[in-house]
Amino acid sequence: MVAGEKIETREERIPLWKLKLDPTNVRFSHLPGPLSDKELEDEIWKENETRDLMKSIQAAKGLIEPPFVMEGDGYYIIKEGNRRVVALRKLKEAVDNGEIDDFPASYFDKIPCEIIPKKIDPIRMDIMLAVWHVSGKKEWDALNKASHIFKMHRDKGLTYDIIAEYIGVSKSTIKRALLAYEECQRFLKKYPNDPVGIKRFTYFDEFFKKSYLVQKATVDRSFRDKFMEWLAAGKFRTHRDVRVLPDILEDTDATKELEKGTIEDALNTLYRKYPDRGDPLWETIASAVEVLRSMPRSEVKAILEDQAKRHLFSNLVSEVDTLKAELNRIRNGRSSKLK
């Protein structure tokens, strides 16, 4: 059932040569097109997942799950399962060339497929793809999900509510994906020679996950351009660095270091001032201090009344005293050397 309509498919074995890769495949929407079937195959074969899938199909002696296709003029367009078909093409090629000898010569000539009716509404087809790849078990990456949602919303006119209802994600998630996708497209227009290109999407995805950054960009529109400027200048190592950007921007010294250098310089400045933010050991110590500072009166009294708790507290005090003595020895040793 898709968009309130039952979609009935029929299974049929189709010659492999009649299966054409989908030129509208959202995974390659960022590439200049249109791409030929061979160009699409080459792009898909570059992915490690395709090579792994080929090995899995070889080990399983065939497909576990058939691709979904739509009938064209003398051929079939693959709507779901492009990677599987490329893997099968490579297997057939290896069998034909004698590189694999554990399959009969005609083993991959025909493969089982689920045929989608030609009359299906394009919007329902988009929703079906979204159910498969946005919220289903064969998930696309964040960029491809956003690209497909963008297509459904802007090209097909589906509302946030409708998309959210059919693919099972929140409306806020859809809004964030669209914002990140649009900002990424704006960035690419502004910096067309950026070496990372469309994969910058992950940076914008992280940006719109942070309410501090979204609020800052809402109050000051120029902040979005500043963020793009930092991206283009290579100030971030990976998209994960965007997650710590709010901490940096809340500190004047760290922000100045980001402007002058990279996020690594900014973090070094921030962590020198606040070691508990960058080191798990000091984060634990800071948490322990806060726990002791806010310990309820009842727990303080329990130290006197409970032998096990008293013993644990005594160990804590003993370890702190030992550490203080060690620090004093180190300090005194340095003082004597200075003399």
Side-chain angles (χ1 to χ4, degrees), residues 69-91:
V69 303
M70 288 186 73
E71 191 172 359
D73 296 325
Y75 57 89
Y76 296 83
I77 291 289
I78 305 155
K79 302 307 293 183
E80 194 282 316
N82 285 272
R83 186 180 287 139
R84 267 167 280 162
V85 170
V86 170
L88 287 167
R89 287 179 180 180
K90 296 298 182 181
L91 275 172

Side-chain angles (χ1 to χ4, degrees), residues 126-156:
D126 279 339
I127 293 174
M128 181 183 287
L129 287 170
V131 170
W132 281 332
H133 295 296
V134 175
S135 57
K137 61 181 180 179
K138 309 182 193 72
E139 288 199 353
W140 286 322
D141 62 25
L143 169 63
N144 295 324
K145 291 178 185 179
S147 178
H148 192 67
I149 290 172
F150 183 86
K151 176 183 175 183
M152 294 170 71
H153 179 63
R154 293 301 168 88
D155 295 351
K156 301 298 173 63

Side-chain angles (χ1 to χ4, degrees), residues 195-209:
V196 180
I198 192 66
K199 292 185 179 180
R200 288 293 192 193
F201 171 82
T202 54
Y203 292 79
F204 291 100
D205 192 40
E206 292 292 345
F207 182 97
F208 284 102
K209 286 179 182 177

